Amino acid sequence: MIELRGVHKQLGDRQILAGLDLAVPKGMNYVLMGPSGSGKSVTLRHIIGILRPDAGTVLVDGQNVAAMDRTQLMALRKRMGYLFQNGALINWLSVVENVSLPLREHSRLSRHEVHDRAMAVLKTVGLEQAADQFPPSISGGMKLRAGLARALVTQPEYVLYDEPNAGLDPIISRQIHELIVEVRDRLGVTGLIVTHSRACATHCGDRIGILDQGRIGIEGTVAEMTAQDHPLAKAFLGGGAD
Ligand SMILES: Nc1ncnc2c1ncn2[C@@H]1O[C@H](COP(=O)(O)OP(=O)(O)O)[C@@H](O)[C@H]1O
Ligand SMILES: [Mg+2]
């Protein structure tokens, strides 16, 4: 379980997180929504220990992330995949080399084993044919799949998805949503998904929380949230939302 308790964080002169409480139990996809600049990515960066809270605690399976040393952080990041916006691939490495990177860094597997594991994950995301292509020559949807493969290659228990469908058309987005659901159901991965998209939230999510002024303004199951009268829920999940 991922748990944030009373997390405060100031960046520059702005109080970004102001007592954020958030709990993501194992096995679910939790969707975190909120306006641009409200601190969604900042929240994810606290969970992998890139940022430390000014006050409050971030716990992963009961362990305090801010108190971890380098070795413990490395171990945490192995258990926690991170899907960056646009996949964040390295352009001069092929798709399979990109996907292999976390295993090169975090495991003692042989080159051969690393390649086999990377190919197996590429198959999971439907990208085996593109293994030897380079990121500049593949589509946005394929980049995202490759980024997801890289997030999954260490067989993490958690995946943090930062705007997994930004810039993708509705058809490709839908395929990505289906993959995210599959990752939960077939691989048993717990997900924390940051998105603006109502389609992504309702298709992939079990619970939805909306950030407002540095805290969760409103939270509930997908069914509760789509039926909500609360202005925040209406803004992100109501009739006019996309
Ligand atoms: N390293 C940083 N230094 C100063 N300000 C930052 C830093 N990282 C993020 N911010 C600011 O924090 C706010 C929240 O950022 P972010 O979490 O990226 O928003 P979003 O909800 O769109 O993901 C933004 O106003 C951003 O400019
Ligand atoms: Mg962001």
Side-chain angles (χ1 to χ4, degrees), residues 7-155:
V7 171
H8 287 73
K9 186 67 179 181
Q10 182 169 344
L11 289 168
D13 55 7
R14 272 191 61 207
Q15 190 70 39
I16 310 297
L17 303 179
L20 174 62
D21 293 316
L22 179 71
V24 183
K26 282 222 125 175
M28 74 155 62
N29 275 339
Y30 187 104
V31 172
L32 182 62
M33 303 183 91
S36 288
S38 60
K40 302 181 298 297
S41 299
V42 164
T43 301
L44 297 185
R45 278 187 256 148
H46 277 84
I47 297 168
I48 50 171
I50 293 174
L51 290 174
R52 284 162 193 253
D54 299 333
T57 43
V58 178
L59 303 166
V60 176
D61 297 336
Q63 276 192 295
N64 183 350
V65 175
M68 290 181 181
D69 62 24
R70 240 184 90 81
T71 315
Q72 290 171 315
L73 272 179
M74 295 276 274
L76 174 75
R77 287 175 195 158
K78 203 169 150 185
R79 294 170 48 213
M80 194 162 289
Y82 200 115
L83 177 59
F84 296 91
Q85 227 170 296
N86 310 317
L89 304 174
I90 296 173
N91 282 342
W92 60 89
L93 295 179
S94 71
V95 166
V96 67
E97 285 167 343
N98 266 284
V99 174
S100 300
L101 270 185
L103 288 180
R104 293 253 175 83
E105 286 166 4
H106 294 302
S107 78
R108 288 158 190 236
L109 298 175
S110 71
R111 261 188 108 74
H112 198 75
E113 287 167 319
V114 167
H115 187 265
D116 286 353
R117 285 269 287 272
M119 287 305 296
V121 187
L122 281 172
K123 194 170 170 193
T124 306
V125 302
L127 213 60
E128 342 143 63
Q129 272 95 351
D132 296 321
Q133 294 194 47
F134 288 80
S137 70
I138 64 176
S139 68
M142 290 163 84
K143 282 182 190 150
L144 212 80
R145 280 168 190 272
L148 181 56
R150 189 179 54 189
L152 291 172
V153 77
T154 56
Q155 300 175 328

